[in-house]
Amino acid sequence: MIQYIETIFPAYFYHWSDLVGLIGTVLLMTGFFLVQTRKLDTKDIRYSLINMGVAIFLGINLIYKPIPANIILECFWLVMSVYGIRMWYKDKYELR
């Protein structure tokens, strides 16, 4: 039985960056959950900060286990998060 399981799930060597990536994944799911349950508005700065954290944590993981398509996605995710923070700041402080 164990040999069968090992053929389906080959041995995987975990790196500390995998834990960082898991934290990013939990942040992503948390942000999505909060938006879907209407406990967080997408215009709230916390939403952009969560997304920035996701991009940073998953980006760190991608440094050690690179996947080009995901690197592009996380760079875009980070840029859009910074843009969202900038727009929040502009709406809050510059329109008085």
Side-chain angles (χ1 to χ4, degrees):
M1 180 68 170
I2 291 178
Q3 290 175 344
Y4 176 72
I5 292 173
E6 287 177 348
T7 59
I8 296 174
F9 302 106
Y12 183 82
F13 297 101
Y14 288 96
H15 189 262
W16 65 266
S17 67
D18 293 319
L19 177 61
V20 174
L22 287 173
I23 292 169
T25 301
V26 169
L27 270 177
L28 176 68
M29 293 185 302
T30 301
F32 185 71
F33 174 80
L34 291 173
V35 168
Q36 293 302 313
T37 57
R38 292 181 172 74
K39 294 182 190 241
L40 183 63
D41 185 16
T42 57
K43 293 183 181 179
D44 191 323
I45 191 167
R46 294 176 296 170
Y47 179 71
S48 291
L49 290 172
I50 288 171
N51 281 328
M52 180 184 281
V54 169
I56 291 170
F57 283 119
L58 292 179
I60 290 169
N61 183 249
L62 287 169
I63 290 171
Y64 294 95
K65 298 185 178 184
I67 301 169
N70 290 8
I71 292 170
I72 292 168
L73 177 64
E74 295 312 320
C75 289
F76 176 77
W77 202 285
L78 183 61
V79 168
M80 292 310 298
S81 297
V82 170
Y83 178 76
I85 291 169
R86 182 180 175 276
M87 293 305 293
W88 174 86
Y89 183 83
K90 183 178 176 183
D91 289 345
K92 184 161 179 101
Y93 294 108
E94 293 181 7
L95 295 178
R96 292 186 177 193

